[in-house]
Amino acid sequence: MGIIKKFRIKSFKKKNSIIEFDKVSLSFGNRLILDNISFKINEGQIFGMLGPNGVGKSTIFNLITGLVTPKHGKIKIDGEDVTNYPIYLRTKKFKVGYVPQYGGFFSDLTLQDNLNAISEIVIDNINIRKEKIDFLLAKFELENVKNIKAKFLSGGQKKKLVIALSLLSDPKLLLLDECFAALDVLTIKMLQEIIVNLQYENKITICICDHQARDLLACVDVAMILSNCKIVAQDTPSNLVKNINAKNAYFGDSFKFN
């Protein structure tokens, strides 16, 4: 699969960080998960996280959303310390959207009813609610399956639905957890294009964690490698795959990007 990212946001966004981790550490019991990590996600970026299983990628998402609290350090959103803010406040005040690896929808409701149910929570005006649902159905080409129960949708259709549900609240930051997992090549290509278009058309900052390194690197501006509780490398995709620390910790010598 060829690289589909036509541009990469680099220097001109550096001053406007939307997420900042400042010396964050976290343990579960006696097991250290993150050890004094610091990084920033800049406004308007597509940011990727890679690393072996259990290295803490999904844990970083949980820290951003407020599902867990760090043992040490600070987490900032839009420059404000949110380390002790509850989940609902982060979601409402800072417009953080989350697309989980599994689920994220009501299985026994139709695709349309899933959108209706969530829209009633996040959109007060009934007319705007209908307009937004119709827009998302058209944007993701889901009109022809809107009356099918979510559990009977294909993997790609389910992923489109969950992303559409997350967009109902107009997020500024969208977190995608293992979004390429268990999808076929064409569906992955479709999802990559959706992600890039969300950045380009909707100006949404996007953070992706995944094990599909080539698929992730094809659509991000910057990525970082986590290993042994630390950030071992962070750079643009083309530079990252040549980084010796990234090779030793994750890619190996035989990994080819292009």
Side-chain angles (χ1 to χ4, degrees):
M1 182 182 297
I3 298 174
I4 56 98
K5 191 77 166 74
K6 302 302 182 184
F7 62 94
R8 301 195 186 277
I9 293 178
K10 300 176 187 175
S11 59
F12 71 93
K13 289 288 185 181
K14 284 185 177 177
K15 293 183 179 179
N16 302 318
S17 63
I18 192 167
I19 293 291
E20 182 176 355
F21 275 47
D22 183 15
K23 299 178 181 177
V24 170
S25 296
L26 178 71
S27 299
F28 293 143
N30 293 324
R31 183 188 171 202
L32 182 63
I33 305 297
L34 299 172
D35 184 15
N36 200 40
I37 69 165
S38 297
F39 70 94
K40 295 179 180 180
I41 300 175
N42 297 323
E43 185 178 357
Q45 269 187 338
I46 302 178
F47 186 91
M49 295 189 292
L50 293 166
N53 279 325
V55 79
K57 300 185 298 296
S58 295
T59 299
I60 287 176
F61 279 0
N62 292 338
L63 286 163
I64 293 172
T65 59
L67 282 170
V68 294
T69 303
K71 183 178 181 182
H72 300 294
K74 293 181 180 180
I75 299 167
K76 296 180 181 180
I77 303 179
D78 272 347
E80 187 170 339
D81 185 354
V82 300
T83 310
N84 297 307
Y85 282 20
I87 296 172
Y88 79 89
L89 186 55
R90 299 188 197 202
T91 302
K92 186 174 181 179
K93 182 174 181 178
F94 299 102
K95 292 187 170 293
V96 178
Y98 177 58
V99 176
Q101 179 181 359
Y102 303 109
F105 53 83
F106 299 105
S107 296
D108 283 322
L109 293 183
T110 66
L111 187 150
Q112 176 82 56
D113 287 341
N114 267 276
L115 289 166
N116 291 341
I118 300 304
S119 69
E120 289 176 7
I121 298 171
V122 299
I123 303 174
D124 294 329
N125 187 301
I126 189 169
N127 294 321
I128 295 176
R129 194 185 302 161
K130 184 179 184 306
E131 289 175 6
K132 192 66 177 287
I133 290 173
D134 289 343
F135 170 78
L136 291 170
L137 287 171
K139 182 180 180 67
F140 293 117
E141 300 178 352
L142 293 170
E143 298 102 323
N144 62 329
V145 294
K146 67 181 182 180
N147 295 318
I148 296 177
K149 286 189 175 183
K151 63 184 177 183
F152 297 127
L153 298 172
S154 70
Q157 289 165 344
K158 289 175 181 175
K159 194 65 70 174
K160 283 182 177 181
L161 169 59
V162 180
I163 294 175
L165 291 172
S166 71
L167 295 178
L168 284 168
S169 58
D170 293 322
K172 289 177 59 180
L173 171 67
L174 186 60
L175 310 176
L176 301 172
D177 192 0
E178 302 281 356
C179 59
F180 301 122
L183 296 178
D184 62 81
V185 173
L186 289 177
T187 303
I188 289 172
K189 176 72 172 177
M190 171 271 296
L191 185 55
Q192 288 173 322
E193 291 174 350
I194 287 173
I195 290 167
V196 173
N197 286 336
L198 287 175
Q199 177 196 41
Y200 182 69
E201 297 173 1
N202 300 76
K203 313 303 180 187
I204 297 174
T205 304
I206 300 168
C207 183
I208 309 169
C209 79
D210 211 285
H211 289 294
Q212 308 295 328
R214 288 181 182 83
D215 298 323
L216 181 145
L217 293 174
C219 61
V220 301
D221 298 304
V222 174
M224 71 179 182
I225 306 292
L226 292 152
S227 182
N228 294 322
C229 313
K230 297 277 193 180
I231 297 170
V232 298
Q234 179 176 325
D235 212 325
T236 61
S238 57
N239 289 335
L240 192 65
V241 296
K242 294 181 281 189
N243 184 289
I244 187 64
N245 293 327
K247 286 185 176 182
N248 291 337
Y250 188 68
F251 293 123
D253 292 326
S254 62
F255 180 84
K256 301 294 182 184
F257 179 36
N258 296 335

